[in-house]
Amino acid sequence: MASVIATEPALEPSSGARQVARRLSADRGAVFGLVVVLVFVLAAVFAPLITAISGYGPYEYDLAALDDTGAPRGFGGGISREHWFGVEPLTGRDLFAVVIYGARTSLLVGVAATVVSVVLGVLIGIVAGYFGGWADRVLSRATDVVFGFPGLIFMIAVGAIIPPWFPKSLLIIVVIGFFGWPAIARVVRGQTLVLKQRNYVVASLAAGASATHLLFRQILPNLAATIIVFATISIPGKIGAEAALSFLGVGVPPPTPAWGRSIGEAINWVQTDPMFLFFPGAALFLVTLAFNLAGDGLRDALDPRSEGAGR
Amino acid sequence: MRVARFLGGRLIGMIIVLLIITFITYAIFYVLPSNPAQLSCGRPCTPDRLAQAKTFMGYDHPWWQQFLQYTRGIFFGRTFGAGPAAIDCSAPCFGYSFRLSTPVTQLILDRIPVTFSIAIGAAILWLVLGVSTGVISALRRGTAIDRLLMSISMAGVSAPAYLVGLLGILLFGFTLNMVPIGGYVPLTESPVDWLWHLILPWCVLAFINAAIYTRLTRGQMLEVMTEDYIRTARAKGLSETRTIGRHALRNVLIPVATVFGLDLGGLLGGAVITEKVFSMQGLGALLLDAVGNLDLPVIVGVTLFSAFVIILANFVVDVSYGVLDPRARTGTR
């Protein structure tokens, strides 16, 4: 099992930031990905400003835009000069505002959950790799247990029994983040095994450096490239997990806009108002695609082995 | 002998993980936050009736005794209450839904055909699709075919299953009217209708999942093709088909088998999203219903059942490692 990930080479930061930037900018997919990610981040940060310009906030219910059955009036789910993406059926919320504010939810949960799994994974991986022995054995057992848990099923189930006073969004971040740590722990463990044999680490050890110094001053900085790449690559999965939970109705609670929930609600409108599915769906797809492309590009740029296609 | 020890070791490992997972799940769901007796006691809930419900369900004991009772129930079955009103829950007893007046095991068994039909059909489709496109892509590296396949697989990796599913329903169900828009017909009732209702879910899941296999297979294939034994095989004068089929593919399939086992196991434990999109009453739908009604025994039962399926799948993967890769048997990797 470890062979999938553990054979990945130790990424060296020695490539130099300028070189990495040069390789990255030559990769059209990665550039596209980074630009799209940037656009979504800006949209999320400046959401209040953008919706002030577009005219409707995410919590304004324009019932006049709906007909008697609750379906949006007019073409394409009520697309008009006032409602750029149309409106939400039944509520009359401006879909543009929902999509823009949905970016906040998705990015916040995606990035925060990634931070949770990276912090856990790096700590556990580096300790297991450096100390070996029983620490390592406990880690591999724990990994087995986490891999044995049905992640999505478990997230749904936990959401049901958590007391109402506990903030749901925080729960989602913690649970999604928790299921992500074993993968990064494995990679970090594998690289720590290699790095602790390096001369500079051995030399520091001989000079009497403490384990903390070795772990966090000698080994951790050399893991930076790997960690950055891994974090970027795992963000889209976390965004997808949040969207899936919201889609199933157990994610971020309404009325906070979330793309997944909009898509879930769109099931009942798919025939009469396909645009209600299209806009949140396109946003989710685009941001996931962008992170995937950026992550792939970043990995290739930081890994000199993969340069020039032929090995 | 060595094979027996390998199998035995894995089996013990599997049982330990199972017990830990049962314990954690049980602890989280039964002991920590909520009170199942309170939930099922009804209104008005007098202290008397609450105590009665607690005794009946077995919640009047300390938590570790409850856990032991629950675990014993899985292996040997158990009885809720006593006297004429007692409810018998035979092994494997994953609990009893007092809301539906049915053993959880029965509820799960009723839903298994739906979920397994979705999962197994889709898995076969995506494995074949993913591995073959991955091999083609690797062998035609850098050509237009490679670029096209990699672009499609990038889209597949990035698109959420429910989005593709809904688009599929919109296009093939509503607009072209080719396939039903949802529902499930048992295989025993009508094999044709069964197939007809499953085609779209299979294709959707295959499209999403095959993408990962395409990328994984391609990467592995590129790496394997540079190995010495491939050069040797070619130098021996083996045909290219034989070199790839017998020597390269065998090594490519080892990591693919790992991912496949995990993915299939996860899906067998409840295809929650697919079932919701295509309105099929499988394990995932059972769980979502239970979550909506706070039917705790069902929530725990389904969670545990799907954990068991995943761990079993892991075990099968470990064993198939031994078949695919003799080095794994001795542990000299």
Side-chain angles (χ1 to χ4, degrees), chain A residues 1-4 7 141 144-154 156-163 239-240 242-245 247-250 259-260 263-264 266-268 270-272 274 277-278 280-282 284-286 288-294 296 299 305-306 308-311, chain B residues 13 16-17 20-21 24-25 28-29 33-34 141 154-160 162-163 166-167 169-170 174 215-216 220 222-223 226 254-256 258-259 262 266 269-273 276-277 283-284 287-288 290-292 294 296 299 302-304 306-308 310-311 314 317-318 321 333:
Chain A
M1 182 182 285
S3 60
V4 185
T7 51
R141 273 286 150 245
D144 284 351
V145 171
V146 176
F147 272 127
F149 266 105
L152 184 63
I153 301 253
F154 192 79
I156 296 168
V158 170
I161 54 129
I162 208 76
I239 290 178
E242 181 275 316
L245 289 176
F247 170 81
L248 294 168
V250 291
W259 296 334
I263 297 170
I267 288 189
N268 305 319
V270 81
Q271 202 176 6
T272 42
L277 171 66
F278 176 77
L284 180 57
F285 174 68
L286 260 182
T288 316
L289 181 72
F291 268 111
N292 277 331
L293 287 170
D296 273 14
R299 185 189 52 205
R305 266 211 324 174
S306 65
R311 260 193 274 150
Chain B
I16 292 173
V17 172
I20 296 175
I21 285 186
I24 296 174
T25 312
I28 290 175
F29 288 103
S34 53
R141 181 182 197 173
M154 188 43 125
V157 170
S158 304
Y162 42 90
L163 192 58
L166 286 173
L167 290 176
I169 291 178
L170 189 61
F174 284 122
R215 294 159 67 84
L216 182 62
Q220 285 293 317
L222 288 176
E223 204 158 315
T226 61
I254 292 171
V256 171
T258 310
V259 183
L262 287 173
V272 193
I273 288 169
K276 163 128 182 176
V277 172
L283 281 170
L287 176 72
L288 282 182
V291 163
L294 276 177
L296 214 59
I299 298 177
V302 173
T303 311
L304 276 182
S306 61
F308 283 22
I310 290 175
I311 292 165
N314 270 328
V317 166
D318 274 352
Y321 255 21
R333 273 155 65 77

Side-chain angles (χ1 to χ4, degrees), chain A residues 217-242:
Chain A
R217 303 303 291 266
Q218 305 271 349
I219 294 177
L220 193 60
N222 284 295
L223 289 168
T226 310
I227 295 169
I228 291 169
V229 169
F230 196 91
T232 319
I233 289 176
S234 61
I235 289 176
K238 308 278 197 286
I239 290 178
E242 181 275 316

Side-chain angles (χ1 to χ4, degrees), chain A:
Chain A
M1 182 182 285
S3 60
V4 185
I5 309 155
T7 51
E8 222 154 273
L11 300 174
E12 302 281 348
S14 62
S15 339
R18 202 175 298 163
Q19 235 179 333
V20 170
R22 187 176 49 77
R23 289 207 204 101
L24 208 55
S25 58
D27 182 343
R28 267 182 301 172
V31 171
F32 170 80
L34 286 172
V35 170
V36 173
V37 167
L38 190 68
V39 169
F40 273 101
V41 169
L42 289 177
V45 172
F46 295 108
L49 197 67
I50 296 170
T51 52
I53 295 168
S54 74
Y56 285 90
Y59 302 110
E60 289 173 46
Y61 303 90
D62 183 6
L63 293 173
L66 304 173
D67 64 16
D68 297 338
T69 62
R73 280 177 207 278
F75 152 82
I79 294 179
S80 64
R81 218 154 27 147
E82 282 133 67
H83 300 291
W84 299 351
F85 285 0
V87 293
E88 213 175 60
L90 291 182
T91 64
R93 282 211 283 183
D94 183 52
L95 197 54
F96 179 74
V98 168
V99 169
I100 295 291
Y101 270 85
R104 282 192 156 185
T105 310
S106 277
L107 291 176
L108 186 73
V109 174
V111 172
T114 304
V115 170
V116 171
S117 33
V118 166
V119 169
L120 276 175
V122 168
L123 272 178
I124 296 172
I126 208 169
V127 166
Y130 185 78
F131 293 106
W134 65 265
D136 202 17
R137 276 197 295 278
V138 169
L139 163 81
S140 64
R141 273 286 150 245
T143 313
D144 284 351
V145 171
V146 176
F147 272 127
F149 266 105
L152 184 63
I153 301 253
F154 192 79
M155 292 180 208
I156 296 168
V158 170
I161 54 129
I162 208 76
W165 52 261
F166 197 88
K168 201 74 184 285
S169 309
L170 184 64
L171 174 79
I172 291 168
I173 291 170
V174 171
V175 175
I176 295 177
F178 178 77
F179 279 99
W181 70 258
I184 175 115
R186 270 189 187 167
V187 181
V188 168
R189 174 190 167 272
Q191 299 209 1
T192 308
L193 284 177
V194 177
L195 289 172
K196 77 172 181 187
Q197 309 286 348
R198 292 282 162 87
N199 285 336
Y200 55 83
V201 178
V202 178
S204 300
L205 185 67
S210 70
T212 336
H213 175 86
L214 289 177
L215 281 179
F216 295 103
R217 303 303 291 266
Q218 305 271 349
I219 294 177
L220 193 60
N222 284 295
L223 289 168
T226 310
I227 295 169
I228 291 169
V229 169
F230 196 91
T232 319
I233 289 176
S234 61
I235 289 176
K238 308 278 197 286
I239 290 178
E242 181 275 316
L245 289 176
S246 297
F247 170 81
L248 294 168
V250 291
V252 181
T256 310
W259 296 334
R261 178 152 23 78
S262 294
I263 297 170
E265 285 164 5
I267 288 189
N268 305 319
W269 298 90
V270 81
Q271 202 176 6
T272 42
D273 181 8
M275 283 301 144
F276 184 36
L277 171 66
F278 176 77
F279 288 111
L284 180 57
F285 174 68
L286 260 182
V287 84
T288 316
L289 181 72
F291 268 111
N292 277 331
L293 287 170
D296 273 14
L298 206 57
R299 185 189 52 205
D300 292 346
L302 283 165
D303 177 7
R305 266 211 324 174
S306 65
E307 197 186 17
R311 260 193 274 150

Side-chain angles (χ1 to χ4, degrees), chain B residues 29 65-66 68 97 113 129 137 173 177 190 200 208 220 231 234 240 248 282 312 314 317 329 332:
Chain B
F29 288 103
Q65 278 185 8
Q66 290 184 38
L68 286 180
S97 167
L129 199 69
S137 207
N177 222 344
S190 159
L200 196 54
I208 300 288
Q220 285 293 317
R231 206 184 47 199
R234 280 182 178 148
E240 196 63 19
L312 199 66
N314 270 328
V317 166
R329 263 176 260 164
T332 52

Side-chain angles (χ1 to χ4, degrees), chain B residues 112-143:
Chain B
I112 278 180
V114 183
T115 301
F116 279 31
S117 297
I118 299 172
I120 295 171
I124 294 171
L125 207 58
W126 87 55
L127 184 65
V128 172
L129 199 69
V131 171
S132 53
T133 50
V135 170
I136 293 170
S137 207
L139 295 179
R140 301 266 178 281
R141 181 182 197 173
T143 63

